[in-house]
């Protein structure tokens, strides 16, 4: 028996396993806790923007932490109720955290501030919010222009981990198909 037919027989025998991996991968993509609703937001340069979590706290004791990040991997600030507020040095003096609503206020926004912002409230159940901020030029002669900053990114909720997982599942399926 040659190697190709042996591989096809082994894959045919385990088709249920491969189907389970495909379903699991697709489930992780569409039902991931990292997939926050994304809101598009535009603002002229020099203004302030409030990024709201939409959460109405009933008791701060239930909250473990609140964090806001930029482009998923750059932490802006982290808040531990009743303990401490940590703001990254690059954002000191430019952000204000509203501990009554867990919102983040960005002051004097610039085009470089365009991009994806994620807020995450950790408690028994994680709550998150996402914003795709486009900071626009403002000139007195032309008014606001609608050209988003080149750093603005896609609003896809899929994380890099999810994309890698889906790619791995597809590779397994394609290998079993002999492609």
């Amino acid at each position: 028996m040659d190697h190709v037919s042996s591989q096809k027989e082994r894959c045919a025998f385990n088709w249920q396993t491969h189907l389970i991996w495909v379903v699991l991968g697709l489930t992780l993509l569409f039902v991931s806790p990292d997939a926050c609703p994304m809101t598009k937001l535009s603002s002229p340069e020099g203004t302030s923007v409030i990024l709201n979590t939409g959460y109405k706290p009933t008791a701060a004791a239930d909250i473990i932490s609140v964090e806001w990040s930029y482009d998923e991997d750059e932490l802006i600030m982290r808040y531990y109720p009743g303990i401490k507020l940590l703001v990254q040095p690059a954002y000191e003096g430019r952000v204000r955290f509203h501990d009554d609503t867990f919102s983040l206020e960005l002051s004097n926004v610039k085009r470089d501030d365009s991009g994806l912002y994620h807020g995450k409230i950790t408690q028994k159940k994680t709550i998150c919010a996402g914003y795709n901020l486009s900071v626009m030029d403002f000139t007195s002669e032309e008014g606001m222009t609608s050209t988003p900053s080149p750093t603005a990114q896609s609003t896809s909720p899929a994380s890099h981990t999810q994309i890698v997982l889906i790619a791995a599942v597809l590779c397994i399926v394609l290998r079993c198909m002999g492609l």
Side-chain angles (χ1 to χ4, degrees), residues 94-154:
R94 295 198 55 231
V95 298
R96 180 174 168 228
F97 178 69
H98 299 270
D99 61 359
D100 55 337
T101 60
F102 305 135
S103 299
L104 182 71
E105 183 174 353
L106 301 170
S107 300
N108 193 25
V109 293
K110 300 172 181 51
R111 286 180 55 87
D112 288 345
D113 293 324
S114 294
L116 300 178
Y117 289 83
H118 297 274
K120 183 170 88 171
I121 301 170
T122 304
Q123 57 179 8
K124 290 179 185 175
K125 177 183 171 188
T126 299
I127 298 169
C128 61
Y131 289 88
N132 184 357
L133 176 64
S134 293
V135 179
M136 300 175 290
D137 289 328
F138 184 79
T139 61
S140 57
E141 299 164 4
E142 300 174 11
M144 281 192 298
T145 61
S146 60
T147 308
S149 166
T151 59
Q153 296 184 7
S154 166

Side-chain angles (χ1 to χ4, degrees), residues 53-112:
T53 61
Y55 180 72
K56 305 270 190 271
T58 55
D62 295 343
I63 305 300
I64 297 168
S65 69
V66 179
E67 65 181 41
W68 280 95
S69 60
Y70 174 74
D71 285 340
E72 292 189 39
D73 59 352
E74 183 180 324
L75 183 67
I76 297 172
M77 54 78 43
R78 185 173 287 137
Y79 171 68
Y80 300 98
I83 301 173
K84 195 175 217 181
L85 171 66
L86 304 169
V87 178
Q88 294 299 318
Y91 291 94
E92 285 182 2
R94 295 198 55 231
V95 298
R96 180 174 168 228
F97 178 69
H98 299 270
D99 61 359
D100 55 337
T101 60
F102 305 135
S103 299
L104 182 71
E105 183 174 353
L106 301 170
S107 300
N108 193 25
V109 293
K110 300 172 181 51
R111 286 180 55 87
D112 288 345

